[in-house]
Amino acid sequence: MGCARFTFAQRPNGKLSNLEAYCLRLLRNRDSSEESTLFTDHKRPMDEQSSASHVPPGTSQASNATPGAALASHITPADPHAVDVSTPKKKRRHLWIWAVVLILFGLLFYWVIQHQQKSQAAAGGGGRRAGMGGPVPVTIATAQKGSMGIYFDALGTVTPIYSDSITAQVTGVVTQVHYREGQMVHKGDPLIDLDDRLYVAQLVQAQGTLEHDKQVLAQADMDLERYKQAWAKNAIQRQLLEDQEKLVLQERGTVTNDEGVVQFDQLQVEYCHITAPISGRVGLRLVDPGNLVTANGTSTLVVITQTAPITVVYTLAEDSLPQVLKQTKSKQALTVEAMDRSQTGHLATGKLGSIDNQIDTSTGTVKMRAAFDNKDGALFPNQFVNTRMLVQTLQDQLIVPSSAIQHNGSEDFVYVLANAKTGQPVSDVSVCSTGSGSGGQGSGSSSSAGHAGGQKSNSKQPSAPPPPPPCKVVMVSVTSGHSESGNTIVVKGLQEGEVLADSSFEKLIDGSPITISKVKLPTSSDTSESPTQ
């Protein structure tokens, strides 16, 4: 039998058979590393000396002569840790299996990475390759002459010209509230009535005192007239006449004082009947009948806000102030438009009314106030609005859509439609429409239909290739000017009437063949980079 699955058993006499000794010598010749792997040192409760003490005396010399027998004596067929010589071969086989699995996994990972890179390259450059291999569908825009306004945009707040918070000027009990919440009132309309009986009684007393003093003054005037006549006849002394004159002056002063008291009491009675000082809208009711209000108190009885006309206060950067001052000095009224929060809805149009007298150093802005008629009530007090102030209008300018102008970092450029043969800008864009509105695919569909018909008549006849597109694009450098509302002024580089490409920029290069699409295509970002030539 072989040594592959052989185990050593303990002998009573400590000797090994010839076959066991032969296998033991083979195991001794292995490397020390393999011996440590094949033979495991099993712990015993007794050490080697104790185990040797159980060996008969006649076997000690044999044990010293054959140390392998002592090693084999620890291994029995019943020992669960019996040495299996085939274990290294199994481990090698497992290592080979894992190595093959790792290699396959690495190959699979490499294939996935390569596939993703090819997909990304196809997605990023497929459009450009399509533009190189066939006509690119584009939408067009025409350079036209026109006027463009220069606007300054700012954030503003609707501010009423007048806003009155009315308080009581006399002490009294509220007897009646005449207004409704949110009502539009006019100047002089009654608002609130207070109990005026006390003040009416005081007024009557003052009027009685005034009447008494007037009669006293009249009597003094009569006595003065008698003294003058007697003095003319030398019937009285000069002193009596002068005393009477001064007495008349005293009575006149008393009457004047009484008249002031009457006027004061009349005013107190008027304060009991509160009326609207301005025309506007009243707010929510702040006081109810039966409440006691005090003179010059802090409690507000009613608030009235003027809504028409109304103003909008907004701020402007100090760098833009010189342009505004230049226009105001020439006596031109600058137009101001009020827009809603999203800048999509137009609320009202007004005029610049006034400019603050100093710049706010903390923000670097100056306040401005624009006046609006607001007859329709579109502007509400304290409403947040966006303002657009027209500072100047540029006339006779060459204007193109801002989306048609591309940038490559150093200059601006556009793609001008030109004849594919002569390279001259086209004047009739209909010649560029070679197919249906989907952008050049119509000619391919017609060709496919003709090819299908040709197969019916003659299956061997090849289909004719589509004719080359008659138009291409030429990249032209331009100088851009002011931009407003999606349009840009072109200062240099274009002529009026030239047709520009306004879409599919990611597929275009200088000289790309194009076809005009009847379907609106999405425009790319106006910050796209210039394609590689």
Side-chain angles (χ1 to χ4, degrees):
M1 60 181 296
C3 296
R5 304 289 296 176
F6 190 80
T7 56
F8 299 94
Q10 184 176 6
R11 303 288 183 175
N13 54 4
K15 294 184 178 181
L16 299 176
S17 63
N18 295 333
L19 182 57
E20 290 175 348
Y22 174 75
C23 291
L24 184 59
R25 283 196 299 272
L26 291 178
L27 294 177
R28 279 180 176 179
N29 293 332
R30 294 188 180 269
D31 297 332
S32 60
S33 59
E34 292 183 356
E35 288 180 0
S36 62
T37 304
L38 293 175
F39 297 100
T40 306
D41 188 8
H42 299 278
K43 296 181 179 180
R44 297 286 185 177
M46 300 177 63
D47 56 5
E48 292 181 358
Q49 293 180 359
S50 61
S51 61
S53 62
H54 293 284
V55 179
T59 60
S60 60
Q61 186 177 359
S63 299
N64 296 331
T66 59
L71 181 62
S73 64
H74 295 282
I75 304 174
T76 63
D79 192 354
H81 300 282
V83 177
D84 191 351
V85 186
S86 62
T87 301
K89 295 184 178 180
K90 286 186 176 181
K91 290 189 175 182
R92 290 194 187 96
R93 184 165 60 250
H94 291 167
L95 292 177
W96 278 107
I97 292 174
W98 281 109
V100 172
V101 170
L102 292 176
I103 293 174
L104 292 177
F105 181 77
L107 293 175
L108 178 61
F109 181 75
Y110 176 79
W111 179 83
V112 170
I113 294 298
Q114 292 296 323
H115 181 70
Q116 290 181 352
Q117 291 179 353
K118 290 180 180 179
S119 300
Q120 293 177 358
R128 191 173 303 282
R129 290 194 297 270
M132 295 179 180
V136 180
V138 297
T139 55
I140 60 173
T142 305
Q144 298 178 348
K145 289 281 188 177
S147 59
M148 179 178 291
I150 298 178
Y151 290 88
F152 288 158
D153 298 338
L155 303 178
T157 304
V158 179
T159 305
I161 299 177
Y162 301 115
S163 181
D164 295 346
S165 298
I166 301 174
T167 58
Q169 294 178 280
V170 294
T171 300
V173 177
V174 177
T175 59
Q176 192 173 2
V177 177
H178 295 281
Y179 67 90
R180 300 187 309 273
E181 293 179 337
Q183 177 185 353
M184 295 296 299
V185 297
H186 298 85
K187 184 178 181 179
D189 290 349
L191 298 177
I192 298 174
D193 288 340
L194 304 179
D195 187 2
D196 62 350
R197 292 175 295 177
L198 174 64
Y199 302 102
V200 172
Q202 292 176 354
L203 176 60
V204 172
Q205 291 178 355
Q207 289 174 345
T209 303
L210 175 61
E211 185 65 23
H212 173 269
D213 291 340
K214 281 183 178 181
Q215 297 303 324
V216 173
L217 176 60
Q219 183 180 0
D221 286 337
M222 288 189 300
D223 292 341
L224 179 60
E225 186 64 26
R226 293 190 189 103
Y227 287 159
K228 286 181 180 180
Q229 292 176 2
W231 168 252
K233 296 178 181 180
N234 293 324
I236 61 173
Q237 297 179 358
R238 176 71 180 177
Q239 182 180 359
L240 295 177
L241 176 62
E242 292 177 350
D243 289 343
Q244 188 63 32
E245 289 177 350
K246 299 302 180 181
L247 182 61
V248 170
L249 294 177
Q250 292 177 10
E251 295 298 335
R252 287 180 180 175
T254 302
V255 171
T256 302
N257 181 70
D258 294 341
E259 291 177 346
V261 173
V262 170
Q263 292 178 0
F264 176 80
D265 291 338
Q266 289 177 344
L267 191 59
Q268 295 295 99
V269 173
E270 291 180 1
Y271 285 161
C272 293
H273 305 281
I274 301 174
T275 58
I278 60 173
S279 297
R281 185 191 302 273
V282 296
L284 300 179
R285 187 173 60 189
L286 303 177
V287 66
D288 297 324
N291 291 334
L292 176 65
V293 296
T294 58
N296 301 321
T298 58
S299 300
T300 302
L301 303 182
V302 62
V303 178
I304 303 178
T305 301
Q306 183 178 3
T307 58
I310 204 167
T311 64
V312 173
V313 176
Y314 57 96
T315 57
L316 187 69
E318 59 180 333
D319 296 338
S320 304
L321 184 60
Q323 300 184 47
V324 177
L325 295 178
K326 181 179 179 181
Q327 299 297 324
T328 55
K329 288 179 181 178
S330 60
K331 306 300 180 181
Q332 292 186 5
L334 301 183
T335 302
V336 180
E337 297 180 358
M339 313 292 291
D340 60 5
R341 183 183 294 270
S342 61
Q343 295 188 354
T344 57
H346 181 271
L347 300 178
T349 301
K351 299 291 183 180
L352 177 64
S354 59
I355 304 175
D356 200 0
N357 59 354
Q358 58 184 350
I359 295 175
D360 188 353
T361 56
S362 61
T363 60
T365 59
V366 60
K367 291 183 178 180
M368 297 187 177
R369 185 188 295 270
F372 298 82
D373 293 336
N374 199 34
K375 294 181 179 180
D376 57 352
L379 299 178
F380 203 81
N382 291 341
Q383 179 183 2
F384 173 84
V385 295
N386 290 279
T387 61
R388 302 183 74 238
M389 181 171 59
L390 178 61
V391 180
Q392 186 180 1
T393 301
L394 303 176
Q395 303 291 342
D396 196 24
Q397 301 293 321
L398 188 62
I399 302 175
V400 300
S402 301
S403 58
I405 301 178
Q406 304 297 297
H407 313 277
N408 63 359
S410 60
E411 62 179 359
D412 300 341
F413 64 93
V414 296
Y415 288 108
V416 179
L417 271 65
N419 189 287
K421 295 181 180 180
T422 63
Q424 297 297 323
V426 297
S427 57
D428 184 10
V429 296
S430 61
V431 300
C432 299
S433 302
T434 59
S436 64
S438 60
Q441 294 180 358
S443 60
S445 299
S446 300
S447 175
S448 299
H451 181 62
Q455 285 183 349
K456 293 181 180 180
S457 60
N458 186 4
S459 59
K460 297 182 179 181
Q461 182 180 359
S463 60
C471 293
K472 66 177 182 178
V473 291
V474 178
M475 191 173 69
V476 178
S477 298
V478 296
T479 302
S480 302
H482 180 72
S483 297
E484 185 67 40
S485 301
N487 294 322
T488 302
I489 295 176
V490 176
V491 180
K492 182 181 178 182
L494 285 181
Q495 299 295 329
E496 182 181 5
E498 289 186 343
V499 184
L500 314 176
D502 196 18
S503 65
S504 305
F505 297 110
E506 71 280 359
K507 303 177 183 179
L508 296 178
I509 61 174
D510 190 13
S512 295
I514 59 95
T515 180
I516 298 177
S517 174
K518 297 179 181 179
V519 180
K520 184 178 180 181
L521 301 176
T523 58
S524 62
S525 174
D526 58 354
T527 59
S528 60
E529 297 295 330
S530 174
T532 305
Q533 301 297 316

